[in-house]
Amino acid sequence: MNNNGFLRGFRDGIPIGLGYFVVSFSLGIIAKKSGILYFQGFLASMLNHASAGEYALFTAIGNLATYLEVALVTLIANARYLLLSSALSQKFDPKTNIIHRILSGFVITDEIFGISIAQKGYVNPWYMYGAFLFAATLWSLGTACGILAGNILPAKAVSALSVALYGMFLAIIIPPAKKNLVIACCVIVSFASSWAMGILPNLKEISSGNRVIILTVIIATAAAILKPVEEKEDKATEEDK
């Protein structure tokens, strides 16, 4: 176990976890309406680390969907993690064993991906585990607490809580965008393309999850072709050793 990397990840996961608690609390209220018990909600959040995926999951359960339908809607809503995991795998030391690669794929979230991909040199899997431990625990506790709270909070409060995750994501992408023109352009093009797909005929009929997948593949591919990253040997930072 790499204690230094784990502790750094745990530290960096604290603000993410605090934000997760607030967001998952509103998900817990939705889960309560679908008949989910607090322990079931805690377990669901520990295994499913995405607000969109959990919202789809709880909504499907509330509509009495079949197991197959629940599985498919969750897969589609979370399909972007296949792309995030593939991108992050390029930052691992080639000697990283398959167990760490699988576990890293399990603990990845949008925010953990953001702080991990921003690390200099190779990504230390233990850094991701540390961030996940705190963030996922509060994510799961928030869901359980939301279920226990039930329908006490007014609708306006629930609506306000639902936008917290987007604010967290902006806080992650804005700093690197300020330092790198290519990243800034990709962010702007992503926002503009997502907005356009939401209003254009035919395209607006595509689900939000599939929009994310399509735009990610197209924009990332275009950026890689037009402005490829210069090849250089990545070296682990001293603090990761």
Side-chain angles (χ1 to χ4, degrees):
M1 176 177 177
N2 189 313
N3 291 326
N4 193 31
F6 182 86
L7 292 176
R8 286 194 305 108
F10 188 88
R11 178 201 63 194
D12 292 348
I14 291 176
I16 295 177
L18 294 176
Y20 276 1
F21 182 87
V22 176
V23 177
S24 62
F25 190 91
S26 62
L27 280 173
I29 296 176
I30 297 172
K32 172 68 175 179
K33 295 179 180 179
S34 298
I36 305 297
L37 301 178
Y38 71 92
F39 176 75
Q40 294 172 329
F42 179 91
L43 184 60
S45 289
M46 187 58 71
L47 298 175
N48 190 348
H49 318 134
S51 57
E54 279 201 60
Y55 179 81
L57 170 66
F58 295 146
T59 301
I61 292 175
N63 292 329
L64 302 179
T66 65
Y67 288 131
L68 179 59
E69 289 172 331
V70 170
L72 288 177
V73 73
T74 304
L75 175 63
I76 293 172
N78 294 337
R80 68 185 185 278
Y81 291 116
L82 295 174
L83 301 175
L84 297 183
S85 298
S86 297
L88 191 60
S89 68
Q90 307 305 306
K91 287 275 291 182
F92 284 135
D93 187 323
K95 298 180 181 178
T96 303
N97 64 49
I98 188 64
I99 300 300
H100 280 309
R101 292 179 183 272
I102 292 175
L103 289 177
S104 297
F106 172 74
V107 305
I108 195 171
T109 68
D110 295 327
E111 290 71 31
I112 292 179
F113 171 82
I115 62 175
S116 298
I117 204 73
Q119 297 296 303
K120 294 181 179 179
Y122 292 131
V123 174
N124 183 351
W126 287 103
Y127 174 84
M128 297 181 64
Y129 303 157
F132 174 80
L133 177 63
F134 189 88
T137 299
L138 263 69
W139 175 257
S140 302
L141 286 174
T143 304
C145 289
I147 293 174
L148 291 174
N151 299 319
I152 296 176
L153 294 178
K156 289 184 177 180
V158 175
S159 178
L161 290 173
S162 66
V163 302
L165 189 62
Y166 300 103
M168 291 174 53
F169 192 65
L170 287 174
I172 290 177
I173 64 175
I174 288 178
K178 289 181 177 179
K179 299 178 182 179
N180 190 307
L181 181 60
V182 176
I183 295 177
C185 290
C186 288
V187 171
I188 294 173
V189 171
S190 298
F191 285 159
S193 302
S194 180
W195 172 78
M197 288 190 72
I199 63 172
L200 293 176
N202 298 323
L203 292 179
K204 66 181 181 181
E205 304 301 327
I206 300 175
S207 68
S208 59
N210 285 331
R211 281 186 220 160
V212 171
I213 296 172
I214 294 171
L215 291 177
T216 299
V217 171
I218 294 176
I219 295 174
T221 301
I225 294 174
L226 298 175
K227 194 66 177 179
V229 177
E230 296 181 2
E231 293 187 4
K232 59 182 179 179
E233 183 178 358
D234 284 325
K235 295 182 179 180
T237 57
E238 291 296 325
E239 57 187 353
D240 280 345
K241 296 180 179 179

